[in-house]
Amino acid sequence: EDSEVGLCKASMELGTRSRRRSPEPGPGRGADYLSALPDDLLLLVLARLGCAAAAARTGLLARRWRGLWARLRDLAFRDVAFPSLQVALGRVAVPPPAVSLLEIRVPGKIRPAADAVTSLLRAAARLAPEKLVFGLTGHLPLQDPNPAGVDLPCFHRATSIVLEWIPFVLRAPAAGGEFPALLKLSLTGCKVDDLGTLLSLCPRLRVLRLKSLIWLGGDDLTTVHSASLQELVMESIWTHRVDIVAPILKQLTLSSWAEAQVSISILAPMIQNVSWQWLYDNGTIGFGLWTLEKLRLQTAQRQGQLPSLLIHASKLV
């Protein structure tokens, strides 16, 4: 009981007004019919709150509700500080039953240490969620040339993983690690140590979305090799070389800008839909009195339409 009260107090770090614990039903106060419902129905009520921290605070209202939140299969922690998250994840029982969704969005008031992020990801992996959303809201990628690293644990049951704005270098699991069930992977605002190695650990990956990524390494090469990939989206990528090998890729969306000439190699014989837009800094590529500003290629959206190629250029004064 004491540990549950401690968890509830920790979850109140969200900045909400403090609440007094409601007295237990007693003479003259009427029966607590809601708390008399079966656990399965109470869990449905808690699930409607859409927030694990809010569900945990219901334990302050009545003893009957204490600990029930930890049995939710969809767990969302938004704007909860790191210490409270460690406590909360430790309260959730290891599957079965399985966790369907685990969403963790940490506020950007204080930048956590890389070790703390690694520890929290390991705690998340312990729950074996089917879908994982992990984001450090408001934390921009570090510009440090030697930033600290975060080790990604293996999520063996996850079919979808979304990682956003992690201000450290993401390192793939060690040899032997794999994401055997992963179908969708989305990385936004992250630094990836070795994207090629990470993708090699995802044998069933179908959809890959990359946005605002910064790769490390002197060769500045972005490698996407996947035998299973069917949809690839790359937006706002800082790279000078792109190498894509995807035998069954059907849809490609590529949108970014270049400060210098970019080398792009694509081997995708099954491609059907392409949306390609590349922005160039003034003077990056010139021909005669003209300098290239934007290049856009779009395949036909409907049967009977023709593909389009748009070239925007400006004349040098």
Side-chain angles (χ1 to χ4, degrees):
E1 179 176 324
D2 292 340
S3 60
E4 183 66 30
V5 173
L7 172 59
C8 292
K9 289 182 178 179
S11 69
M12 292 176 68
E13 294 177 2
L14 300 176
T16 57
R17 296 188 301 271
S18 61
R19 299 173 174 84
R20 295 182 180 179
R21 183 184 302 177
S22 298
E24 300 291 339
R29 299 190 183 116
D32 184 359
Y33 294 108
L34 188 59
S35 294
L37 294 173
D39 285 358
D40 290 345
L41 291 179
L42 292 180
L43 286 172
L44 289 176
V45 174
L46 295 181
R48 291 288 184 177
L49 295 177
C51 175
R57 287 197 295 273
T58 61
L60 298 175
L61 303 177
R63 293 179 182 178
R64 176 72 174 82
W65 294 78
R66 292 178 190 170
L68 282 177
W69 73 270
R71 293 167 53 187
L72 291 171
R73 297 303 91 197
D74 288 354
L75 294 168
F77 299 92
R78 304 183 185 96
D79 295 330
V80 179
F82 253 81
S84 301
L85 286 170
Q86 293 283 6
V87 174
L89 293 184
R91 294 285 297 170
V92 181
V94 176
V99 174
S100 299
L101 168 66
L102 178 58
E103 179 181 350
I104 299 174
R105 296 187 184 275
V106 184
K109 298 177 182 178
I110 300 177
R111 185 187 298 276
D115 290 344
V117 175
T118 297
S119 178
L120 192 59
L121 284 170
R122 288 174 180 169
R126 165 184 166 271
L127 303 182
E130 293 181 10
K131 297 180 180 180
L132 172 70
V133 178
F134 187 93
L136 304 185
T137 307
H139 292 294
L140 297 178
L142 290 173
Q143 300 302 317
D144 188 340
N146 297 301
V150 167
D151 296 319
L152 286 175
C154 290
F155 290 85
H156 297 286
R157 293 184 61 255
T159 60
S160 174
I161 294 179
V162 176
L163 302 177
E164 298 177 338
W165 304 110
I166 299 177
F168 304 103
V169 179
L170 296 178
R171 295 190 293 242
E178 197 175 66
F179 301 86
L182 191 61
L183 302 176
K184 298 180 180 180
L185 174 62
S186 177
L187 303 174
T188 299
C190 301
K191 286 187 174 183
V192 182
D193 183 28
D194 190 337
L195 181 64
T197 297
L198 179 60
L199 295 181
S200 70
L201 303 178
C202 309
R204 298 183 59 198
L205 192 65
R206 298 290 186 270
V207 179
L208 176 62
R209 294 188 173 97
L210 309 172
K211 184 175 181 180
S212 301
L213 296 196
I214 301 176
W215 274 267
L216 302 179
D219 57 0
D220 196 17
L221 172 64
T222 300
T223 301
V224 178
H225 290 185
S226 173
S228 60
L229 198 63
Q230 298 182 16
E231 180 181 346
L232 173 60
V233 178
M234 300 174 64
E235 297 179 330
S236 303
I237 306 300
W238 286 272
T239 184
H240 294 158
R241 297 171 59 200
V242 177
D243 181 19
I244 300 173
V245 177
I248 64 172
L249 185 70
K250 294 180 174 61
Q251 183 169 335
L252 172 63
T253 300
L254 185 60
S255 175
S256 190
W257 60 83
E259 297 178 353
Q261 292 189 11
V262 178
S263 172
I264 300 177
S265 173
I266 300 177
L267 178 58
M270 302 294 290
I271 196 74
Q272 296 175 356
N273 299 313
V274 175
S275 177
W276 180 303
Q277 178 171 282
W278 213 272
L279 304 177
Y280 296 86
D281 282 351
N282 188 28
T284 299
I285 297 180
F287 43 97
L289 298 176
W290 299 86
T291 180
L292 187 62
E293 290 185 344
K294 181 170 68 173
L295 180 65
R296 181 177 181 181
L297 173 65
Q298 182 75 52
T299 55
Q301 297 297 304
R302 296 189 300 271
Q303 188 174 5
Q305 283 187 331
L306 296 175
S308 61
L309 174 62
L310 301 178
I311 300 176
H312 294 256
S314 60
K315 188 175 181 180
L316 298 175
V317 179

